[in-house]
Amino acid sequence: MKHCCIGVLAHVDAGKTTMSEAMLYLSGKLKKLGRVDHRDSFLDNNSLERARGITIFAKQAVLTLPAADGTDETELTLLDTPGHVDFSAEMERTLQVLDCAVLIISGPSGIQSHTVTLWRLLRRYQVPAFLFVNKMDLPGLERAALLAQLRRELSPECMDFSDPDCIEQLALCDETLMERFLETGALPDTDIGALICARRAFPCYFGAALRDEGVDEFLRAL
């Protein structure tokens, strides 16, 4: 079994804990989906956290994901970190042990100043990152505009992995990959994973964690 330590990071109120709860629920680790606003989330179990409705202490949970090809499972150690800037020291301590990070961004709010701070910390510690744009069920949100903001303010290598044309963008990252793509019309998962690990591609997904929209697709990507 493969093992991976993943940290979930976000600006406050982006839906970070809600996303973590959804991941645990869909993986079968939780029988009931808790909610921060109902003060019954599995991860925010401290009395202060439930009273204030925010994460104060980093929490750990373990979930198991089946491999896409059915060959081997992956055990994920999930670290849900504080999003409030007052508790950012607690969040930063986790970055040194992460194999990968999941950066949650609120669709309605877009990229906030603390989001940029988190992105710079991920770059400093050279942590590969996935992005999940949350709350896409709210009206007036355009995926293309949000993706353009991610590319403009975070990295041009932010790519919508749910877009079938994304494979062509990935091939452009490396001459060898381009040759392989031109020959076969596809890229192996191992090559795509290598790009992500080298921080040469940042997979972006869109959904609504509170409604379990897009979370299952995101778990399959992980």
Side-chain angles (χ1 to χ4, degrees), residues 75-170:
E75 184 181 73
L76 297 184
T77 298
L78 188 70
L79 299 179
D80 181 37
T81 66
H84 199 287
V85 66
D86 289 349
F87 309 108
S88 57
E90 178 82 359
M91 174 277 303
E92 189 171 352
R93 276 194 290 269
T94 69
L95 298 183
Q96 301 175 55
V97 300
L98 297 184
D99 296 309
C100 180
V102 177
L103 181 63
I104 311 297
I105 295 170
S106 168
S109 302
I111 296 174
Q112 304 293 298
S113 59
H114 190 54
T115 312
V116 176
T117 299
L118 292 170
W119 189 256
R120 289 172 178 168
L121 286 170
L122 291 173
R123 182 173 58 204
R124 178 191 300 174
Y125 289 96
Q126 287 296 293
V127 179
F130 285 70
L131 291 83
F132 186 85
V133 183
N134 196 21
K135 306 183 182 181
M136 291 297 293
D137 55 324
L138 298 179
L141 297 179
E142 296 184 5
R143 180 182 295 209
L146 288 166
L147 182 62
Q149 185 187 29
L150 296 178
R151 290 175 170 170
R152 183 175 62 252
E153 299 188 30
L154 297 183
S155 170
E157 284 75 41
C158 290
M159 303 178 189
D160 183 357
F161 266 49
S162 59
D163 184 349
D165 294 333
C166 177
I167 196 73
E168 297 180 24
Q169 300 176 44
L170 288 166

Side-chain angles (χ1 to χ4, degrees), residues 202-221:
F202 301 102
C204 301
Y205 289 86
F206 299 77
L210 192 60
R211 298 177 180 269
D212 289 341
E213 295 177 3
V215 182
D216 194 47
E217 180 186 14
F218 184 76
L219 282 175
R220 288 196 300 270

Side-chain angles (χ1 to χ4, degrees), residues 26-108:
L26 290 175
S27 69
K29 286 299 181 180
L30 293 181
K31 294 183 178 180
K32 178 179 179 294
L33 187 61
R35 289 180 52 158
V36 175
D37 54 344
H38 291 176
R39 292 172 169 77
D40 63 353
S41 64
F42 172 74
L43 291 164
D44 282 352
N45 50 28
N46 182 275
S47 58
L48 287 174
E49 294 176 316
R50 292 189 169 179
R52 298 183 61 178
I54 61 172
T55 303
I56 298 176
F57 307 104
K59 300 294 194 314
Q60 175 179 316
V62 177
L63 60 149
T64 303
L65 300 178
D69 58 5
T71 57
D72 197 7
E73 293 181 331
T74 298
E75 184 181 73
L76 297 184
T77 298
L78 188 70
L79 299 179
D80 181 37
T81 66
H84 199 287
V85 66
D86 289 349
F87 309 108
S88 57
E90 178 82 359
M91 174 277 303
E92 189 171 352
R93 276 194 290 269
T94 69
L95 298 183
Q96 301 175 55
V97 300
L98 297 184
D99 296 309
C100 180
V102 177
L103 181 63
I104 311 297
I105 295 170
S106 168

